[in-house]
Short mmCIF file of all heavy atoms in Angstrom, two decimals:
data_model
loop_
_atom_site.label_atom_id
_atom_site.label_comp_id
_atom_site.label_asym_id
_atom_site.label_seq_id
_atom_site.Cartn_x
_atom_site.Cartn_y
_atom_site.Cartn_z
N ASN A 18 106.15 92.32 102.15
CA ASN A 18 104.90 92.10 102.89
C ASN A 18 103.70 92.67 102.13
O ASN A 18 102.74 93.11 102.76
CB ASN A 18 104.97 92.67 104.28
CG ASN A 18 106.12 92.10 105.10
OD1 ASN A 18 106.28 90.89 105.14
ND2 ASN A 18 106.94 92.92 105.70
N ALA A 19 103.74 92.60 100.81
CA ALA A 19 102.66 93.12 100.03
C ALA A 19 101.39 92.23 100.20
O ALA A 19 101.47 91.05 100.23
CB ALA A 19 103.05 93.17 98.57
N THR A 20 100.25 92.91 100.16
CA THR A 20 98.98 92.16 100.14
C THR A 20 98.23 92.35 98.83
O THR A 20 97.29 91.66 98.52
CB THR A 20 98.07 92.67 101.29
OG1 THR A 20 97.81 94.09 101.15
CG2 THR A 20 98.67 92.37 102.67
N ILE A 21 98.67 93.31 98.05
CA ILE A 21 98.09 93.53 96.68
C ILE A 21 99.26 93.66 95.70
O ILE A 21 100.22 94.41 95.91
CB ILE A 21 97.25 94.83 96.66
CG1 ILE A 21 96.10 94.70 97.59
CG2 ILE A 21 96.75 95.08 95.22
CD1 ILE A 21 95.24 95.99 97.77
N LEU A 22 99.12 92.90 94.62
CA LEU A 22 100.13 92.91 93.55
C LEU A 22 99.37 93.18 92.23
O LEU A 22 98.48 92.37 91.92
CB LEU A 22 100.90 91.67 93.54
CG LEU A 22 102.04 91.50 92.52
CD1 LEU A 22 103.18 92.49 92.90
CD2 LEU A 22 102.53 90.08 92.51
N GLN A 23 99.71 94.19 91.52
CA GLN A 23 99.09 94.46 90.22
C GLN A 23 100.13 94.32 89.12
O GLN A 23 101.22 94.84 89.25
CB GLN A 23 98.52 95.94 90.14
CG GLN A 23 97.45 96.09 91.16
CD GLN A 23 97.00 97.60 91.18
OE1 GLN A 23 97.84 98.50 91.27
NE2 GLN A 23 95.71 97.81 91.07
N VAL A 24 99.76 93.56 88.05
CA VAL A 24 100.70 93.39 86.95
C VAL A 24 99.98 93.84 85.68
O VAL A 24 98.81 93.43 85.42
CB VAL A 24 101.05 91.87 86.83
CG1 VAL A 24 101.97 91.65 85.62
CG2 VAL A 24 101.71 91.41 88.11
N PHE A 25 100.66 94.60 84.88
CA PHE A 25 100.15 95.07 83.63
C PHE A 25 101.15 94.78 82.51
O PHE A 25 102.34 94.99 82.70
CB PHE A 25 99.88 96.60 83.61
CG PHE A 25 98.98 97.07 84.73
CD1 PHE A 25 99.49 97.47 85.94
CD2 PHE A 25 97.61 96.99 84.54
CE1 PHE A 25 98.68 97.88 86.99
CE2 PHE A 25 96.76 97.43 85.58
CZ PHE A 25 97.33 97.83 86.80
N LEU A 26 100.67 94.24 81.42
CA LEU A 26 101.53 93.99 80.29
C LEU A 26 100.84 94.49 79.04
O LEU A 26 99.65 94.20 78.81
CB LEU A 26 101.79 92.44 80.13
CG LEU A 26 102.68 91.99 78.96
CD1 LEU A 26 104.10 92.54 79.16
CD2 LEU A 26 102.64 90.51 78.85
N GLY A 27 101.52 95.33 78.27
CA GLY A 27 100.89 95.93 77.10
C GLY A 27 102.01 96.19 76.06
O GLY A 27 103.21 96.15 76.33
N ALA A 28 101.56 96.59 74.90
CA ALA A 28 102.51 96.92 73.83
C ALA A 28 101.95 97.96 72.92
O ALA A 28 100.74 98.13 72.74
CB ALA A 28 102.85 95.66 72.99
N SER A 29 102.89 98.77 72.34
CA SER A 29 102.53 99.65 71.26
C SER A 29 103.35 99.21 70.09
O SER A 29 104.10 98.21 70.18
CB SER A 29 102.93 101.11 71.66
OG SER A 29 104.30 101.22 71.76
N ASP A 30 103.37 99.92 69.01
CA ASP A 30 104.20 99.59 67.87
C ASP A 30 105.67 99.64 68.25
O ASP A 30 106.51 98.99 67.70
CB ASP A 30 103.94 100.47 66.68
CG ASP A 30 102.63 100.23 66.02
OD1 ASP A 30 102.05 99.08 66.25
OD2 ASP A 30 102.08 101.10 65.33
N ALA A 31 106.03 100.51 69.20
CA ALA A 31 107.41 100.83 69.52
C ALA A 31 107.98 100.06 70.71
O ALA A 31 109.15 99.87 70.82
CB ALA A 31 107.58 102.31 69.79
N ALA A 32 107.12 99.64 71.64
CA ALA A 32 107.63 99.08 72.88
C ALA A 32 106.65 98.14 73.60
O ALA A 32 105.43 98.29 73.47
CB ALA A 32 108.05 100.14 73.86
N LEU A 33 107.23 97.21 74.32
CA LEU A 33 106.48 96.39 75.26
C LEU A 33 106.64 96.98 76.59
O LEU A 33 107.78 97.40 76.97
CB LEU A 33 107.07 94.92 75.22
CG LEU A 33 106.46 94.02 76.25
CD1 LEU A 33 105.34 93.24 75.63
CD2 LEU A 33 107.51 93.01 76.71
N MET A 34 105.61 97.05 77.39
CA MET A 34 105.72 97.64 78.77
C MET A 34 105.19 96.64 79.77
O MET A 34 104.04 96.16 79.64
CB MET A 34 105.04 98.93 78.86
CG MET A 34 105.27 99.61 80.20
SD MET A 34 104.54 101.28 80.25
CE MET A 34 105.69 102.15 79.23
N LEU A 35 105.96 96.35 80.80
CA LEU A 35 105.57 95.53 81.92
C LEU A 35 105.60 96.42 83.15
O LEU A 35 106.61 97.03 83.47
CB LEU A 35 106.55 94.33 82.10
CG LEU A 35 106.39 93.54 83.38
CD1 LEU A 35 105.06 92.72 83.38
CD2 LEU A 35 107.55 92.58 83.58
N THR A 36 104.50 96.46 83.88
CA THR A 36 104.42 97.20 85.17
C THR A 36 104.06 96.22 86.28
O THR A 36 103.08 95.43 86.10
CB THR A 36 103.40 98.34 85.08
OG1 THR A 36 103.68 99.18 83.99
CG2 THR A 36 103.33 99.11 86.38
N VAL A 37 104.84 96.25 87.32
CA VAL A 37 104.51 95.45 88.52
C VAL A 37 104.45 96.44 89.66
O VAL A 37 105.38 97.15 89.98
CB VAL A 37 105.57 94.37 88.80
CG1 VAL A 37 105.23 93.55 90.01
CG2 VAL A 37 105.76 93.45 87.57
N ARG A 38 103.32 96.50 90.31
CA ARG A 38 103.00 97.44 91.43
C ARG A 38 102.57 96.70 92.62
O ARG A 38 101.75 95.79 92.51
CB ARG A 38 102.00 98.43 90.94
CG ARG A 38 101.64 99.54 91.90
CD ARG A 38 100.58 100.50 91.30
NE ARG A 38 101.08 101.06 90.02
CZ ARG A 38 100.35 101.25 88.96
NH1 ARG A 38 99.08 100.98 88.96
NH2 ARG A 38 100.88 101.79 87.89
N ASP A 39 103.08 97.08 93.81
CA ASP A 39 102.61 96.47 95.06
C ASP A 39 102.37 97.50 96.07
O ASP A 39 102.80 98.68 95.99
CB ASP A 39 103.66 95.36 95.54
CG ASP A 39 104.91 95.99 96.08
OD1 ASP A 39 104.89 96.76 97.04
OD2 ASP A 39 106.03 95.67 95.57
N ASN A 40 101.61 97.07 97.12
CA ASN A 40 101.32 97.93 98.22
C ASN A 40 102.17 97.60 99.51
O ASN A 40 101.76 97.86 100.59
CB ASN A 40 99.85 97.82 98.62
CG ASN A 40 99.48 96.53 99.22
OD1 ASN A 40 100.14 95.50 99.06
ND2 ASN A 40 98.37 96.50 99.97
N GLY A 41 103.34 97.08 99.23
CA GLY A 41 104.17 96.57 100.35
C GLY A 41 104.92 97.70 101.11
O GLY A 41 104.57 98.89 101.00
N ASP A 42 105.90 97.23 101.88
CA ASP A 42 106.60 98.13 102.77
C ASP A 42 107.37 99.30 102.04
O ASP A 42 107.60 100.35 102.56
CB ASP A 42 107.62 97.39 103.61
CG ASP A 42 106.99 96.37 104.49
OD1 ASP A 42 105.78 96.52 104.83
OD2 ASP A 42 107.66 95.40 104.90
N GLY A 43 107.79 99.04 100.78
CA GLY A 43 108.57 100.01 100.03
C GLY A 43 109.96 100.19 100.62
O GLY A 43 110.29 99.52 101.63
N PHE A 44 110.74 100.94 99.96
CA PHE A 44 112.12 101.23 100.38
C PHE A 44 112.59 102.51 99.72
O PHE A 44 111.92 103.02 98.80
CB PHE A 44 113.03 100.07 100.05
CG PHE A 44 113.14 99.79 98.55
CD1 PHE A 44 114.23 100.34 97.81
CD2 PHE A 44 112.20 99.00 97.89
CE1 PHE A 44 114.30 100.12 96.51
CE2 PHE A 44 112.30 98.76 96.53
CZ PHE A 44 113.37 99.32 95.83
N ASP A 45 113.70 103.04 100.13
CA ASP A 45 114.30 104.23 99.51
C ASP A 45 115.33 103.74 98.56
O ASP A 45 116.40 103.29 98.99
CB ASP A 45 114.87 105.13 100.59
CG ASP A 45 115.44 106.41 100.02
OD1 ASP A 45 115.61 106.48 98.82
OD2 ASP A 45 115.84 107.27 100.86
N PRO A 46 115.09 103.82 97.29
CA PRO A 46 116.09 103.33 96.26
C PRO A 46 117.46 103.96 96.44
O PRO A 46 118.48 103.32 96.18
CB PRO A 46 115.44 103.64 94.96
CG PRO A 46 114.00 103.74 95.21
CD PRO A 46 113.86 104.31 96.59
N ALA A 47 117.47 105.28 96.87
CA ALA A 47 118.73 105.97 97.03
C ALA A 47 119.55 105.40 98.18
O ALA A 47 120.79 105.50 98.19
CB ALA A 47 118.51 107.46 97.19
#
């Protein structure tokens, strides 16, 4: 039920990084 979704994609010489962040309900991964 997210209303905001942020996506970031970037790279350094060593790695590509993708971040996806939302303001939704969340959950307990454990």
Side-chain angles (χ1 to χ4, degrees):
N18 301 311
T20 59
I21 297 173
L22 183 67
Q23 297 175 310
V24 178
F25 304 95
L26 180 66
S29 67
D30 288 339
L33 174 93
M34 185 174 287
L35 170 69
T36 302
V37 180
R38 183 177 302 142
D39 70 59
N40 69 338
D42 297 337
F44 62 96
D45 181 350

